[in-house]
Amino acid sequence: MFGIVRAPEIDRPGQVWFNVDRPLSLADLKGRLVVLDFWTFCCVNCLHTLPTLQVLEQAFPDRLVVIGIHSPKFDHECQPAAVAAAIDRLGVTHPVVHDPHLILWEEYCVQAWPTLVLISPDGHVIGQLAGEPHPDMLLKGLGDMLSRQPVHSAAGALPIRPALAGGGRLRFPGKIKHCPGAGGQKQWAVADAGHHQIVLFDDDGRELRRWGSGEAGYADGLVASFDGPEGLACDADAIYVADTRNHAIRRIDRASDTVSTLAGFGCRGGFLELPAPGGDTALASPWDLEVVGRQLFFANAGSHQLGCLDLDSGQVRLVAGSGDEDIEDGPAQQARLAQPSGLAVNAGGDGLYFADSETSAIRHLCLKSGEVSTLAGAGLFDFGHLNGDLAQSRFQHPLAVATAPGMIYVADSYNGVIRAIDLEHSQVTDLAGPPVLSEPAGIAADGIGRLLVCDTNQHRILEIDASTHQSRIWA
């Protein structure tokens, strides 16, 4: 029929399934074309693939089924609770089996995230596609394949039970940044990613304002919508939004509450190359922003690069990163980055610290010399939880950094802790005292002693006094 290699069984003892009320076997799927999605939730390329899989499910609801095979890279991703949170955060509704020991990964001869494996309606492997698929080509190819085959009678409805959504006033908050208020009042803006909104708080944690309809979408104007915004930056006139799943940079005018788009146009772009107008530049999962004068720097996580949007001319240019995913220092545009996800301006205002998540690294871009250097981190598969000498320290998929005099604070997301880097003595320590954190993705420093942390998977903001080790919950 389709193929000659019998697909290895996907139902194995001891594995945890999500979004179904019982494990599924290949026998349960007989009569359907099966798409196995080998993914892990740290991987931005895997996240880019999820909307394509949703399109396939909607196009062929009775003849095709997607099964996620969660194949972790990091230690933290081996925890079932972390997988459950990621499924909720990303809105995954198809069945997912957690394969922490990579048994299915090995048996299906998978070598990269993401990889799609196709299984025929009679249970044979008929194809494998590594990397992000082209949405239109995959849809057409599978449609042509199904149209040429006899109609198979599917074995009834699958027992799919997507998990209930978590969260409260906030839902999976991303970054938190200082937002100057009238008369010098301190305010703080938060990317409320799970609610697809931007929230403004006063300095005591009282909510002042929200922007965004609350539903995932892409619309400018007074009745605007965002889709999973992860990052932001602020000045006196505007809040700039890294509208991550829309692959766009948006601007909230603080006087009129009007939202406009500065760069990107709703679809995933490739590498940043030559300078171009923002409206003509497709971005790839912008994850964080920082304003330096009239320059808006952004972490283009999906292309492993840093870019800059000139707020006066509207031009977008490449700042750092060749586009190859790795860790390599040197001249900025030749350096190799790996999913940069958090930005902070250095003390002199002439450089950026950034969390290079996939290499579990903390790195620096000097805006004067155009050089990238690494403070901590060694490679794509070098991670851990090691304090002491900065050069020997290890982090695990950090997502955010913040600066204070002589210090860098790191949201060490997959270790669930806040780390402090003493720049004078080149030492790393854990910040003592805060309660247990779950994938903190945002951090802001207010001087040396005060920190505001987005405790992402617990849907809250913590205010932490680093000197007394006391904390309180904002929202």
Side-chain angles (χ1 to χ4, degrees):
M1 199 160 123
F2 277 78
I4 59 174
V5 178
R6 176 66 63 177
E9 180 56 66
I10 60 174
D11 179 18
R12 301 301 177 89
Q15 291 181 330
V16 179
W17 284 77
F18 301 91
N19 290 339
V20 286
D21 57 16
R22 61 175 174 81
L24 298 177
S25 67
L26 290 179
D28 294 319
L29 307 177
K30 186 177 180 180
R32 299 175 173 88
L33 178 64
V34 179
V35 179
L36 300 182
D37 174 32
F38 287 83
W39 71 297
T40 188
F41 65 78
C42 72
C43 167
V44 70
N45 305 99
C46 298
L47 308 191
H48 291 164
T49 302
L50 292 175
T52 300
L53 298 177
Q54 291 177 340
V55 170
L56 294 179
E57 294 174 291
Q58 293 166 1
F60 312 109
D62 299 321
R63 302 191 63 190
L64 177 148
V65 62
V66 174
I67 305 292
I69 313 293
H70 186 260
S71 311
K73 169 184 173 180
F74 290 98
D75 291 345
H76 172 71
E77 294 176 299
C78 294
Q79 301 174 22
V83 182
I87 288 170
D88 187 6
R89 181 173 69 249
L90 299 169
V92 177
T93 56
H94 56 249
V96 175
V97 57
H98 182 39
D99 186 28
H101 303 297
L102 302 183
I103 295 170
L104 297 176
W105 173 282
E106 295 289 345
E107 293 195 1
Y108 277 91
C109 301
V110 175
Q111 297 181 330
W113 296 281
T115 292
L116 303 182
V117 174
L118 305 182
I119 300 176
S120 68
D122 67 348
H124 290 81
V125 175
I126 56 174
Q128 184 178 111
L129 178 63
E132 292 182 45
H134 188 286
D136 297 335
M137 293 178 65
L138 184 63
L139 179 64
K140 183 179 186 306
L142 294 187
D144 291 345
M145 180 184 294
L146 288 168
S147 69
R148 292 195 299 268
Q149 301 305 318
V151 175
H152 292 268
S153 177
L158 294 175
I160 297 177
R161 301 284 189 275
L164 296 175
R169 288 180 59 202
L170 296 175
R171 178 166 154 77
F172 299 111
K175 302 294 186 284
I176 180 168
K177 297 289 181 72
H178 177 250
C179 192
Q185 293 178 337
K186 287 182 183 178
Q187 296 177 347
W188 304 89
V190 173
D192 189 3
H195 286 137
H196 313 289
Q197 294 178 317
I198 304 301
V199 188
L200 186 66
F201 292 92
D202 70 13
D203 198 44
D204 291 320
R206 289 184 290 264
E207 184 176 317
L208 301 175
R209 181 75 172 86
R210 282 181 181 260
W211 294 270
S213 66
E215 299 292 331
Y218 187 24
D220 286 337
L222 283 172
V223 186
S225 56
F226 306 94
D227 192 353
E230 293 286 349
L232 38 69
C234 308
D235 60 25
D237 300 317
I239 298 174
Y240 305 98
V241 180
D243 195 7
T244 307
R245 295 184 206 171
N246 277 326
H247 308 288
I249 296 174
R250 319 284 293 281
R251 180 184 187 274
I252 301 172
D253 186 283
R254 298 180 65 186
S256 67
D257 287 333
T258 301
V259 175
S260 58
T261 298
L262 301 181
F265 38 81
C267 61
R268 188 251 202 265
F271 300 135
L272 299 173
E273 295 180 308
L274 298 176
D280 297 335
T281 303
L283 306 181
S285 292
W287 217 273
D288 199 13
L289 305 169
E290 276 292 303
V291 175
V292 180
R294 295 295 293 166
Q295 304 295 305
L296 181 65
F297 292 90
F298 60 94
N300 208 48
S303 69
H304 314 296
Q305 295 173 308
L306 303 181
C308 180
L309 169 67
D310 187 295
L311 292 172
D312 293 321
S313 69
Q315 291 284 112
V316 169
R317 61 184 173 88
L318 168 65
V319 174
S322 66
D324 294 329
E325 184 182 16
D326 210 334
I327 182 168
E328 184 176 309
D329 293 341
Q333 296 190 15
Q334 299 172 31
R336 295 182 179 184
L337 317 182
Q339 210 169 304
S341 300
L343 299 175
V345 180
N346 68 4
D350 58 0
L352 295 171
Y353 291 108
F354 61 98
D356 212 29
S357 300
E358 280 296 286
T359 53
S360 299
I362 308 302
R363 307 179 73 182
H364 181 260
L365 167 66
C366 179
L367 299 178
K368 288 185 177 180
S369 67
E371 293 281 323
V372 170
S373 57
T374 297
L375 283 73
L380 282 164
F381 292 89
D382 293 289
F383 59 88
H385 188 174
L386 183 62
N387 286 320
D389 181 71
L390 180 56
Q392 303 303 318
S393 64
R394 291 292 179 265
F395 297 79
Q396 187 180 183
H397 199 81
L399 286 173
V401 289
T403 58
M407 303 291 292
I408 304 172
Y409 292 102
V410 180
D412 193 5
S413 304
Y414 286 7
N415 281 324
V417 295
I418 302 302
R419 312 281 291 281
I421 299 175
D422 183 327
L423 292 172
E424 181 181 355
H425 299 99
S426 297
Q427 292 289 305
V428 179
T429 57
D430 284 5
L431 190 68
V436 175
L437 305 176
S438 182
E439 290 185 34
I443 186 168
D446 185 17
I448 296 178
R450 186 185 189 217
L451 298 174
L452 300 174
V453 176
C454 290
D455 189 12
T456 301
N457 284 356
Q458 298 189 86
H459 315 293
R460 62 185 185 177
I461 298 169
L462 293 177
E463 179 181 345
I464 300 170
D465 187 322
S467 60
T468 66
H469 312 309
Q470 298 298 308
S471 63
R472 73 179 181 97
I473 299 173
W474 269 21

